[in-house]
Amino acid sequence: MNPLNHVAIIMDGNGRWGLKYKNSRNEGHRAGLRTVEKIIRESIKNNIKFLTLFAFSTENWKRPKKEINFLFNLLENFLQNKIDDLYNQNIKLKILGKKNFPKKINKLLYLSEKKTFKNNRLQVNLALNYGSKSELINAFKSIKKNKDKITEKTLSKHLLTKNIPDPDILIRTGNTKRLSNFLLWQIAYTEIFFEKKLWPAFNEADYNKIITNYKKIKRNFGNI
Ligand code: IPE
Ligand code: IPE
Ligand code: MG
């Protein structure tokens, strides 16, 4: 049985789900947040140590302002209402991505990270304004600035995911088979599961099925 430390998820399909069932993309985002809460709970039950959620990409700024504002309002309300709850569940929150949002949001993100910094049951990495290519470019710049040697180890240390083991599982919901600029370096040996269901429809049973299947896979890492 493969050990399971880190699950990464591309939470895709909110907009399509919202349009189909509520005639509104934004309602899909609201429903998607409920799936986030379910999957956090189920990750704890499964003793998973790191859960990385792709919430907003560097490319998502291309979306209409109304949708972007809705998403950040949702995030703001979520953190304001739930950060104590997350703290009490011994969850550590970490943001992956540059915090260049409105001041109020930046402050809330910093405070949420600070409050949960010492927690150690589950680390939830929220990829927000995250893009793998920009992460890699910044890592190379920082290596150059520090005059470090370029090795796999040093590069990993200059990424936003430093001190986080590579994901064991990557799940993408929403019936699309692409990576959309997510963790390109880190998933070199990750087991990838493409899920047809849209994110708001994804549930605990779907998640556990993937985990069970993952545990049975023969991971070779190049060996035989
Ligand atoms: C993913 O759902 C969530 C975010 C990018 C914030 P989408 O909003 O991309 O949903 P679809 O893919 O359009 O259905
Ligand atoms: C990927 O979904 C980003 C997030 C889930 C945050 P997108 O919906 O942005 O991906 P593309 O544009 O369809 O590849
Ligand atoms: Mg999408």
Side-chain angles (χ1 to χ4, degrees):
M1 291 260 269
N2 294 316
L4 178 55
N5 274 312
H6 184 176
V7 176
I9 308 182
I10 302 174
M11 311 184 287
D12 195 26
N14 289 351
R16 277 165 286 162
W17 187 94
L19 278 181
K20 189 166 172 202
Y21 296 103
K22 309 265 173 186
N23 201 25
S24 143
R25 286 185 54 85
N26 285 345
E27 285 308 311
H29 292 308
R30 198 195 300 283
L33 189 54
R34 288 197 286 274
T35 306
V36 169
E37 294 187 271
K38 281 186 204 165
I39 295 307
I40 289 178
R41 274 198 302 273
E42 208 56 27
S43 299
I44 289 178
K45 279 194 195 156
N46 278 287
N47 243 331
I48 289 161
K49 285 288 161 198
F50 298 90
L51 175 67
T52 301
L53 301 172
F54 202 6
F56 196 84
S57 75
T58 46
E59 288 73 31
N60 288 145
W61 294 111
K62 293 175 193 163
R63 295 187 179 203
K65 237 188 147 150
K66 252 180 92 181
E67 180 165 336
I68 296 176
N69 286 341
F70 185 90
L71 276 168
F72 283 101
N73 273 327
L74 208 59
L75 174 70
E76 191 182 337
N77 286 329
F78 176 77
L79 286 179
Q80 271 167 354
N81 296 328
K82 297 285 164 88
I83 194 64
D84 287 342
D85 210 36
L86 296 178
Y87 175 80
N88 290 330
Q89 289 183 72
N90 200 2
I91 291 171
K92 173 175 177 171
L93 184 73
K94 171 139 181 68
I95 308 300
L96 302 180
K98 197 165 179 219
K99 295 187 192 70
N100 59 356
F101 312 108
K103 249 197 189 140
K104 208 171 148 201
I105 306 248
N106 284 343
K107 202 174 157 201
L108 190 58
L109 293 173
Y110 278 119
L111 285 176
S112 304
E113 282 186 309
K114 202 173 150 201
K115 183 178 171 79
T116 59
F117 186 73
K118 288 194 176 147
N119 284 352
N120 58 14
R121 186 155 181 207
L122 169 71
Q123 177 168 333
V124 176
N125 303 309
L126 204 56
L128 258 191
N129 191 20
Y130 173 86
S132 190
K133 288 191 175 180
S134 108
E135 179 191 30
L136 281 162
I137 285 175
N138 288 332
F140 285 122
K141 282 184 184 163
S142 144
I143 288 176
K144 199 170 163 190
K145 203 169 135 200
N146 289 287
K147 298 197 170 78
D148 277 354
K149 243 170 84 184
I150 295 182
T151 65
E152 287 186 15
K153 223 176 173 171
T154 50
L155 181 63
S156 295
K157 281 203 183 122
H158 287 269
L159 293 172
L160 297 168
T161 50
K162 67 168 181 248
N163 302 327
I164 299 173
D166 287 342
D168 299 298
I169 295 179
L170 170 70
I171 301 168
R172 180 179 188 134
T173 58
N175 202 18
T176 305
K177 291 180 180 161
R178 55 175 174 255
L179 298 174
S180 305
N181 200 13
F182 190 47
L183 302 176
L184 301 178
W185 170 272
Q186 295 88 339
I187 58 165
Y189 263 109
T190 299
E191 304 297 334
I192 303 181
F193 295 82
F194 291 108
E195 165 68 46
K196 285 204 172 121
K197 279 194 181 176
L198 305 170
W199 178 247
F202 188 71
N203 62 31
E204 291 91 341
D206 301 319
Y207 190 40
N208 282 315
K209 208 160 131 193
I210 289 174
I211 292 172
T212 305
N213 287 339
Y214 157 81
K215 288 195 171 160
K216 289 188 285 202
I217 291 172
K218 182 168 178 277
R219 300 184 82 186
N220 289 342
F221 300 100
N223 208 331
I224 51 169

